[in-house]
Amino acid sequence: GVLPVLEQAGWRFAGNWQSTQSGVRLKPAAPPVGEFAIYTVDLPSTAPLMEQARYLGGMLGAIAKQHPTDTVDLIGHSAGGVVARLALVNYGAGTVTRLITIAAPNLGTERAAQALDATDDRGLFGGIKRWLVKRKVGDDLYRTIQSSRWALADLAPPVPGTLLYWLNSRQHPDIVYVAVVRGTAFGMPGDQVVPAASQDLRRVSALNSRASIRVVAGDHQLSRQDGLLLSELVSKPASATATATK
């Protein structure tokens, strides 16, 4: 529901950036002419987050070449918010002037550790455990989790030796940081995947309270409400004229 809301607010879909073995490419190849452009990005979501950030860095560089005088609002949902921060820390902000994370595990999530443990089928009773877990979650989800083990490990809560511990202590570019945090409302339990406290960029030590938050009631998934909030955020100031979202 996010893209239709942004398009109603005057933004225009300019294409989807894809990661390939030979690099990044845009489909359609020729973006439409227009001041307010939206790009979506496809990243190898089961890959380690550093690898995803490398692709995203290449996409942001390509966008900067196509829009050399424009600024970029970079938007990342869930793990995409962490990938976006990694790209900014590793490759610089370039033309990005604002990062908006939505329901992102900036301080990790125990759900990642639980998924890793549930699909660890080593040991004497590994076969029985695998059968039980597959019976509960299904073969497809089980295989997805198995192939995502490196990415899930990267989303573990920050302790020395983890990716988030390293990232959260690194110097971040001097841009605007906004965290969209899932709150609760009557009849809505809130985010059951990433705790609200983990979504709060103000708690990232390297940002030194430079971030702000906006609270939106809902669960972990994107919704039309996110589109309404983004249409407000990305239209101010008017100089923010190109958006990339995952």
Side-chain angles (χ1 to χ4, degrees):
V2 171
L3 287 179
V5 173
L6 290 175
E7 289 177 329
Q8 289 171 7
W11 294 77
R12 293 293 174 261
F13 180 66
N16 174 248
W17 285 95
Q18 300 177 339
S19 1
T20 71
Q21 290 185 343
S22 57
V24 299
R25 64 181 180 186
L26 177 65
K27 285 193 172 184
V33 176
E35 185 180 12
F36 295 92
I38 303 171
Y39 292 101
T40 56
V41 305
D42 283 340
L43 299 174
S45 60
T46 61
L49 300 196
M50 278 291 195
E51 181 178 345
Q52 296 187 47
R54 178 173 60 84
Y55 280 110
L56 180 58
M59 294 170 183
L60 291 172
I63 290 172
K65 287 182 180 179
Q66 292 193 354
H67 303 271
T69 62
D70 293 342
T71 60
V72 174
D73 286 276
L74 180 60
I75 303 166
H77 170 248
S78 192
V82 178
V83 172
R85 282 204 294 131
L86 274 171
L88 294 173
V89 166
N90 286 342
Y91 307 110
T95 56
V96 176
T97 58
R98 175 163 41 199
L99 170 65
I100 302 173
T101 64
I102 304 175
N106 293 299
L107 296 176
T109 172
E110 291 293 343
R111 293 294 192 189
Q114 291 170 357
L116 288 171
D117 179 67
T119 56
D120 184 356
D121 54 11
R122 296 171 297 178
L124 182 61
F125 301 103
I128 297 174
K129 181 180 180 182
R130 180 171 60 249
W131 179 82
L132 289 171
V133 175
K134 280 188 175 183
R135 185 180 179 186
K136 184 175 181 63
V137 304
D139 287 349
D140 289 344
L141 180 55
Y142 190 92
R143 283 195 296 269
T144 299
I145 295 174
Q146 283 277 36
S147 62
S148 307
R149 296 190 70 81
W150 285 108
L152 289 168
D154 288 339
L155 297 174
V159 295
T162 63
L163 176 72
L164 281 175
Y165 183 87
W166 175 86
L167 174 62
N168 290 349
S169 64
R170 304 294 292 179
Q171 182 175 353
H172 285 50
D174 188 18
I175 62 173
V176 175
Y177 295 88
V178 182
V180 178
V181 176
R182 290 294 188 250
T184 58
F186 180 75
M188 302 180 70
D191 196 328
Q192 301 298 298
V193 179
V194 180
S198 178
Q199 302 172 32
D200 190 345
L201 279 171
R202 298 175 305 178
R203 298 168 61 91
V204 173
S205 57
L207 291 178
N208 295 319
S209 302
R210 285 187 286 152
S212 62
I213 68 168
R214 298 292 292 270
V215 179
V216 174
D219 59 17
H220 187 68
Q221 301 304 313
L222 287 171
S223 70
R224 184 174 183 274
Q225 182 125 347
D226 295 309
L228 293 171
L229 176 58
L230 290 175
S231 68
E232 173 193 337
L233 291 174
V234 298
S235 62
K236 302 176 189 177
S239 59
T241 54
T243 297
T245 178
K246 175 176 181 277

